Structures are given as structure tokens and as C-alpha cells.
């Protein structure tokens, strides 16, 4: 009928007129296997469940090397467990969040649409008093 590899053979196979696929070899098997397997994701998308939050991938992780280096420089005698730097980072993030909320409230009380330096300083005094142990 058609000579394998000819233009007519390829067009007939592409249209689904032939009973077998024109692709042969390992690459064709990989493509077919990928199709049967379902979604083919790259290594970054197949991350562990600990880095996923509610089916949404976290864009940026904590800068752990920087945090460890900073803690070692400031407090070399301090002994932290493996995830201690993450707890310090979380504490810093929560503090900044509280500071932003309090400074926004101060700006709204002054009927100002922009958070200014004095709003942040007033909020810092209040939050540092609250967070003192």
C-alpha cells in the first residue's frame, strides 16, 4: 500500500488510517508511557508534601543558610535544634506582620492614606511593649 517512511505513509498514519503508529523506538514508547501515566510534572512540582500548603506550592522558602550564619555570628554559644532557625524566622515574620497591622491602624486614626515613619515608630513602641517577656 504505502512504503514506510514516505510522505503518503506519514500523512495516512497521522490521520489515523493505519492500524499501527508511525513512531517506533524508545522515544515513542516514552511518549506513550507518559500519556498513560497522566500528568507529567517536573522535579520541582513533585516536591514533598511538607513544602505544599493546601494544594498550593510555596514560592519561596526561608533563607536557612543566611539565618544560621546570622545566628552563629550574633550568638555563637547558642545551641539550636535543626529547625530552630525556622522558628526564629517565623517569629520575625509574625512581628513584622503585627507591626504592619498596628501601623496601618495608626495611619487610619490620623486619616492618612499612606503609612509614614511616625506611624511605624508609634506602632513599634506598642508592639515591643506587648512582646516583652
Amino acid at each position: 500500500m504505502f512504503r514506510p517512511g514516505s510522505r503518503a505513509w506519514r500523512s495516512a498514519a497521522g490521520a489515523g488510517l493505519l492500524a499501527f503508529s508511525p513512531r517506533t523506538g524508545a522515544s515513542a514508547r516514552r511518549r506513550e508511557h507518559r500519556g498513560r501515566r497522566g500528568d507529567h510534572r517536573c522535579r520541582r512540582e513533585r516536591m514533598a508534601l511538607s513544602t505544599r500548603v493546601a494544594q498550593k506550592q510555596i514560592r519561596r522558602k526561608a533563607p536557612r543558610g543566611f539565618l544560621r550564619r546570622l545566628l552563629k555570628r550574633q550568638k555563637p554559644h547558642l545551641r539550636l535544634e535543626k529547625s530552630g532557625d525556622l522558628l526564629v524566622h517565623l517569629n520575625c515574620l509574625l512581628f513584622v506582620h503585627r507591626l504592619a497591622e498596628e501601623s496601618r491602624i495608626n495611619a487610619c486614626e490620623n486619616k492618612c492614606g499612606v503609612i509614614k515613619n511616625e506611624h511605624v515608630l508609634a506602632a513599634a513602641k506598642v508592639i515591643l511593649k506587648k512582646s516583652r517577656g
Side-chain angles (χ1 to χ4, degrees), residues 5-127:
S6 67
R7 183 181 292 168
W9 185 79
R10 282 185 295 219
S11 64
L17 300 175
L18 296 178
F20 51 90
S21 173
R23 294 180 182 156
T24 57
S27 63
R29 284 193 296 275
R30 275 195 303 270
R31 278 189 215 106
E32 289 171 12
H33 179 69
R34 201 177 291 154
R36 270 183 274 145
R37 187 171 46 196
D39 89 63
H40 180 71
R41 298 176 295 177
C42 65
R43 185 177 64 83
R44 183 175 282 167
E45 291 173 348
R46 286 188 309 242
M47 294 176 79
L49 291 175
S50 61
T51 57
R52 288 183 172 254
V53 177
Q55 300 293 327
K56 189 173 182 182
Q57 186 176 357
I58 297 173
R59 289 195 185 107
R60 244 183 121 175
K61 293 183 276 186
R64 297 192 71 175
F66 172 75
L67 288 169
R68 286 186 192 132
R69 194 168 55 243
L70 187 71
L71 288 171
K72 282 290 182 189
R73 281 186 194 153
Q74 295 294 323
K75 305 272 185 182
H77 60 280
L78 195 66
R79 294 174 59 197
L80 287 174
E81 63 178 17
K82 286 185 179 179
S83 62
D85 55 336
L86 291 176
L87 294 173
V88 171
H89 187 250
L90 178 63
N91 201 6
C92 290
L93 289 176
L94 290 173
F95 175 78
V96 169
H97 188 70
R98 276 189 241 121
L99 183 67
E101 283 182 355
E102 189 70 29
S103 56
R104 181 183 57 82
I105 291 169
N106 287 346
C108 289
E109 286 174 355
N110 293 341
K111 296 180 181 174
C112 186
V114 179
I115 298 173
K116 295 182 181 172
N117 192 16
E118 57 264 14
H119 301 140
V120 177
L121 289 175
K125 287 179 184 175
V126 172
I127 289 179

